[in-house]
């Protein structure tokens, strides 16, 4: 097995997609071999690219609220590993950020996940991460709505972006039924530390 610190150093030095990125390649990751929860997101946004901190924006504020955790808990790498599908900001598209660059997950994801031997829950956020983790043809709404039919270690969530406010209004069950379950699972995992 590779040594995690060496692997992270290689990732942070990666320039493989630099020519097609709108800004400098700045891979963003949070990982520790003792992490119990994986946040499998899409790719860093513009704010994260600027600060170098994952979910350093309104989406992160909402995600932490959904999970029922503080900022210090969320950014504790021994609790949460943040492994997006791509580690650099892909740029802006017509209706939000561009999709994560697939080559990034192909190159890094398996190698990084092999380092995580204490994971109890993976939160799969947004359509791109869900396409990677779930071998089905469901939409994000269907997959998130079927939360009670998935195993205890994998949970699909919509992206917490403010752009999804309409989705949240159309699906009140998400906040009424699923979020209490999410908070309960997270609290149990963090309490067992």
């Amino acid at each position: 097995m590779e040594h995690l610190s060496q692997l992270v150093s290689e990732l942070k030095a990666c320039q493989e997609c630099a020519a097609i990125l709108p800004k400098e390649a700045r891979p963003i990751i949070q990982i520790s071999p003792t992490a119990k929860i994986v946040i499998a997101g899409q790719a860093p946004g513009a704010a994260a690219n600027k600060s170098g901190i994952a979910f350093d924006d309104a989406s992160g504020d909402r995600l932490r609220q959904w999970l029922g955790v503080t900022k210090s808990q969320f950014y504790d790498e021994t609790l949460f590993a943040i492994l997006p599908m791509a580690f650099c900001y892909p740029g802006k598209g017509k209706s939000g950020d561009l999709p994560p660059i697939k080559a990034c997950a192909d190159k890094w994801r398996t190698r990084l996940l092999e380092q995580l031997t204490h994971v109890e829950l993976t939160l799969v956020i947004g359509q791109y991460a869900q396409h990677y983790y779930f071998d089905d043809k469901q939409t994000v709404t269907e997959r998130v709505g079927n939360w009670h039919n998935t195993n205890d270690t994998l949970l699909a969530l919509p992206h917490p972006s403010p752009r999804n406010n309409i989705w949240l209004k159309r699906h009140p069950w998400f906040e009424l039924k699923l979020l209490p379950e999410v908070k309960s699972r997270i609290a149990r995992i963090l309490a067992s530390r």
Side-chain angles (χ1 to χ4, degrees), residues 93-105:
K94 288 182 182 177
S95 61
D97 290 346
L98 291 171
I101 297 169
K102 187 179 180 312
C104 194

Side-chain angles (χ1 to χ4, degrees), residues 15 21 56 70 106 118 124 128 136 152-153 170 174:
Q15 295 291 305
L21 294 172
D56 190 24
T70 65
D106 292 345
H118 295 86
V124 187
Y128 300 109
D136 62 30
D152 286 343
T153 62
R170 288 183 182 158
F174 174 73

Side-chain angles (χ1 to χ4, degrees), residues 4 13 38 45 70 72-73 85 91 93 109 112 126-127 130 133 144 147 186:
L4 180 58
V38 172
T70 65
S72 63
Q73 288 172 309
M85 298 311 297
R109 193 148 205 86
L112 289 164
Q127 68 174 326
Q130 289 174 20
Y133 276 87
V144 173
W147 62 273
I186 299 287

Side-chain angles (χ1 to χ4, degrees), residues 41-46 48 55 84-90 97-101 128 159:
Q42 301 192 147
F55 288 102
M85 298 311 297
F87 296 95
C88 294
Y89 172 59
D97 290 346
L98 291 171
I101 297 169
Y128 300 109
H159 197 283

Side-chain angles (χ1 to χ4, degrees), residues 26-38:
R26 187 176 189 189
I28 298 171
I29 185 173
Q30 175 176 304
I31 190 169
S32 164
T34 61
K36 293 185 170 234
I37 300 165
V38 172

Side-chain angles (χ1 to χ4, degrees), residues 19 23 34 46 61 68-69 103 105 115 136 139 157 159 168 170 186-187:
K23 300 186 183 282
T34 61
D61 292 340
V69 298
Q115 303 288 322
D136 62 30
T139 65
L157 296 175
H159 197 283
L168 293 170
R170 288 183 182 158
I186 299 287

Side-chain angles (χ1 to χ4, degrees), residues 42-173:
Q42 301 192 147
N49 185 71
K50 187 175 181 180
S51 71
I53 301 169
F55 288 102
D56 190 24
D57 55 14
S59 294
D61 292 340
R62 177 177 273 166
L63 180 58
R64 287 183 287 278
Q65 186 250 331
W66 284 356
L67 305 182
V69 298
T70 65
K71 247 184 167 177
S72 63
Q73 288 172 309
F74 186 79
Y75 290 116
D76 180 342
E77 66 185 16
T78 67
L79 300 176
F80 289 91
I82 302 176
L83 301 177
M85 298 311 297
F87 296 95
C88 294
Y89 172 59
K92 223 16 150 190
K94 288 182 182 177
S95 61
D97 290 346
L98 291 171
I101 297 169
K102 187 179 180 312
C104 194
D106 292 345
K107 180 173 183 175
W108 298 107
R109 193 148 205 86
T110 300
R111 294 166 66 195
L112 289 164
L113 289 172
E114 286 173 350
Q115 303 288 322
L116 301 173
T117 58
H118 295 86
V119 174
E120 296 179 34
L121 178 63
T122 299
L123 300 171
V124 187
I125 299 174
Q127 68 174 326
Y128 300 109
Q130 289 174 20
H131 287 303
Y132 182 89
Y133 276 87
F134 296 95
D135 186 25
D136 62 30
K137 302 288 184 204
Q138 293 183 347
T139 65
V140 170
T141 301
E142 292 166 337
R143 211 173 282 114
V144 173
N146 288 328
W147 62 273
H148 51 282
N149 292 326
T150 60
N151 69 49
D152 286 343
T153 62
L154 209 56
L155 188 61
L157 296 175
H159 197 283
S161 168
R163 298 179 74 85
N164 279 338
N165 286 342
I166 292 171
W167 187 94
L168 293 170
K169 283 183 183 171
R170 288 183 182 158
H171 303 95
W173 53 263

